[in-house]
Amino acid sequence: GYFARVAREKGLHILCGAYRILRQEMGLPPSRLLAAGYLGHESHGYLKEIQDQMREWKLADEFEYQGELDREDKLRFFTQLHVFSTPAVYHEPKGLSVLEAMVSGIPVVLPNHGAFPEIVRNTGGGLLCAPNDPYDLARQIMAIRDDPVLAGQLGQAGAAGAREHYSSARSAERTIEALEKLCRTYWYP
């Protein structure tokens, strides 16, 4: 699954390419690729390109864009997923939806750039793939699919790690630590 703003830089087209590889080259049985998130007016053509490509690949019935979701629908959305990816083509600085998926116990596969390596290292909740590489993304997704023990371990580690390292309380603690350091350095040496 994918949950992020639907825009080229967020990489939904890469995930769709990986899905085609999984289905047509790696033997994944019929499955579903679910996507959701904000769709700005400027990205309607991008989503249409993706839908057209999925039709051309004969996979249109397995792709579903569920639109923008409120909190309840988003929580329900995550319960439908076995693996989560937002294969952003740029160096994503945060990845809030990644943390939301992890808290939901979903293993993630993310490109090895931006904030993603740190998130995976801190949580242990996923695997990294080469950026902009649908084949490597497909291989990592298949590794999780083919190893239910690994999938369970990643899901549990991600949920615990996201709560430990990225909760509101932990963010507040780090903000206070940074402000105290700033005060000691510049105002109260």
Side-chain angles (χ1 to χ4, degrees), residues 24-43:
Q24 296 176 350
E25 297 180 30
M26 294 185 169
L28 182 73
S31 301
R32 293 185 313 153
L33 175 55
L34 303 179
Y38 172 75
L39 177 65
H41 178 72
E42 69 283 353
S43 294

Side-chain angles (χ1 to χ4, degrees), residues 17-132:
Y19 187 78
R20 183 204 61 79
I21 293 162
L22 287 163
R23 287 285 288 116
Q24 296 176 350
E25 297 180 30
M26 294 185 169
L28 182 73
S31 301
R32 293 185 313 153
L33 175 55
L34 303 179
Y38 172 75
L39 177 65
H41 178 72
E42 69 283 353
S43 294
H44 282 258
Y46 172 67
L47 179 59
K48 184 178 179 332
E49 287 173 24
I50 288 171
Q51 291 167 328
D52 290 346
Q53 185 66 73
M54 295 299 279
R55 260 190 298 285
E56 184 178 313
W57 291 334
K58 310 272 190 269
L59 296 170
D61 292 344
E62 297 177 27
F63 175 76
E64 181 182 344
Y65 170 64
Q66 295 185 0
E68 294 179 48
L69 305 178
D70 63 21
R71 184 177 188 282
E72 282 184 33
D73 289 336
K74 185 183 344 177
L75 294 173
R76 237 184 327 276
F77 175 80
F78 285 127
T79 66
Q80 301 173 73
L81 307 182
H82 293 109
V83 180
F84 178 87
S85 185
T86 301
V89 300
Y90 70 104
H91 290 222
E92 174 72 62
K94 187 169 184 180
L96 181 60
S97 64
V98 170
L99 298 173
E100 293 172 324
M102 286 181 162
V103 167
S104 298
I106 308 302
V108 302
V109 178
L110 303 166
N112 191 11
H113 63 162
F116 296 149
E118 178 183 347
I119 290 172
V120 169
R121 184 177 56 251
N122 285 346
T123 64
L127 302 176
L128 296 172
C129 66
N132 304 314

